[in-house]
Amino acid sequence: MENFDYLIVGSGLFGSTFAHLAANQGKKCLVIDKRPHLGGNVYCENIEGINVHKYGAHIFHTNNKEVWDFVNSIVEFNRYTNSPVANYKGKLYNLPFNMNTFHQMWDVKTPEDAKAKIEEQKAEAVAALNGNEPQNLEEQALTLVGKDIFYTLIKEYTEKQWGRKCTDLPAFIIKRLPLRFVFDNNYFNDRYQGIPIGGYNKLIDGLLDGLECKTDVDFFKSEFRDWRKYADKLVYTGAIDEFFDFRFGKLDWRTVSFKTRIENTPNYQGNAVVNYTSLDEPYTRVIEHKHFEMFGQDVYDCPKTVVSEEYSTEYKPGMEPYYPVNDDRNNLLSEKYRELAFKESDVIFGGRLAEYKYYDMAPIIEHVLNMNI
Ligand SMILES: Cc1cc2nc3c(=O)[nH]c(=O)nc-3n(C[C@H](O)[C@H](O)[C@H](O)COP(=O)(O)OP(=O)(O)OC[C@H]3O[C@@H](n4cnc5c(N)ncnc54)[C@H](O)[C@@H]3O)c2cc1C
């Protein structure tokens, strides 16, 4: 086998973007991934002509023009705008909390009336504390938005997400709850957002175009463990604790599981994202994937639809690690692994697993664009 400049472990957005930029500088790269496909968590599976976000709904959004221009130079992005809807016991509310939500909740029609209602309920919550600081998430949220928004749109949803009562969760989890006094259902404040036209696989295919890639290859169980035989440098985007044989112990993760099914109707819920904010349903969200990429008549020209229920799930070994747990134990442990990583001068640790850090997609790309490759 020829000698590579970089062996890149992991073909997610970090690994693929790195490989693309390195190859553009004339560097020889080999990309390996233990999954049977490339793309990491942005990979989509095509079912009934619909791109299904297999590892959770992914919406690209950024304020950074350089990042936006870069991804659009690989594949053009569509005009998808995330505007989720909340369903509480059968009644629908727009998100994020804005004038549409307040109108649906109280029939108010002006920002002044909405503000007055919220201020009245916040004052009630503050009075109930009798001069004490909020002791838990429930008390904190009540002082920030008042009882109606809290009990309808926050309380039970948060309890499903965390698997614990809001009164048992610490107050610091919620520092602020943004309220918009305009009729604007656009979830993100960023200037740019969208989904690659043709799906995320097009983005990954474009980034890795012409590069040597191998799937179904686990770094630790393959010849590449002895990577110095094959490459001058290693780019590692797998889990940092695994790289060091879990020397100090295993890092914890939170995860999400999905139940995906085909519905025999062209339009099941009329929106890509519907949050279920009551404990009546065990799932937190239902995603209807076609709405990320099909608009207008296209929705009806595709006769079926694919929906995924999302469940907040306790992580166990063997499950997909999704979100790092930022408690004291895991912060300390990840710091110890980072110190080891720092000493590996020929290894670049990058991405959400190797840095044990939650990243949105755009910051991952921004990070790689700013690296000295
Ligand atoms: C449920 C969920 C929803 C999200 N939604 C959004 C969103 O709406 N918008 C947004 O901007 N971001 C979103 N994100 C974040 C986004 O997924 C990440 O920013 C992105 O995936 C990070 O890319 P990465 O390359 O670091 O990791 P990954 O995509 O996880 O890639 C790592 C790759 O390394 C491979 N690998 C690991 N170990 C080995 C090994 N031993 N050998 C070989 N290969 C290995 C894995 O198989 C994987 O393919 C979401 C994340 C989650 C979990």
Side-chain angles (χ1 to χ4, degrees), residues 28 60 74 82 130 147 174 253 262 306 318:
K28 277 188 289 174
F60 197 95
I74 308 291
N82 195 31
N130 285 323
K147 63 183 176 198
I174 293 187
W253 295 87
I262 298 168
V306 180

Side-chain angles (χ1 to χ4, degrees), residues 35 41 54-56 160-163 251-258 282-285 309-326 352-353 356 358:
R35 290 180 181 171
N41 278 359
K54 189 176 164 70
Y55 301 96
K160 280 196 275 193
Q161 273 188 318
W162 289 87
L251 289 161
D252 296 318
W253 295 87
R254 284 197 300 124
T255 196
V256 183
S257 54
F258 307 99
Y283 38 85
T284 48
R285 307 198 297 180
E309 291 169 358
E310 234 176 77
Y311 296 80
S312 218
T313 310
E314 193 80 23
Y315 176 77
K316 292 195 190 75
M319 285 178 169
E320 285 297 338
Y322 278 143
Y323 303 106
V325 178
N326 294 116
R352 61 182 196 97
L353 296 165
Y356 193 67
Y358 179 81

Side-chain angles (χ1 to χ4, degrees), residues 13-66:
L13 269 185
F14 190 99
S16 299
T17 308
F18 188 99
H20 180 84
L21 297 177
N24 279 355
Q25 292 181 25
K27 303 269 167 44
K28 277 188 289 174
C29 301
L30 171 65
V31 180
I32 62 166
D33 203 296
K34 66 178 178 184
R35 290 180 181 171
H37 57 74
L38 301 169
N41 278 359
V42 304
Y43 171 76
C44 291
E45 198 167 46
N46 196 284
I47 305 176
E48 298 286 344
I50 298 158
N51 286 320
V52 173
H53 297 208
K54 189 176 164 70
Y55 301 96
H58 277 71
I59 300 140
F60 197 95
H61 59 100
T62 183
N63 259 328
N64 184 320
K65 187 168 184 318
E66 192 196 353

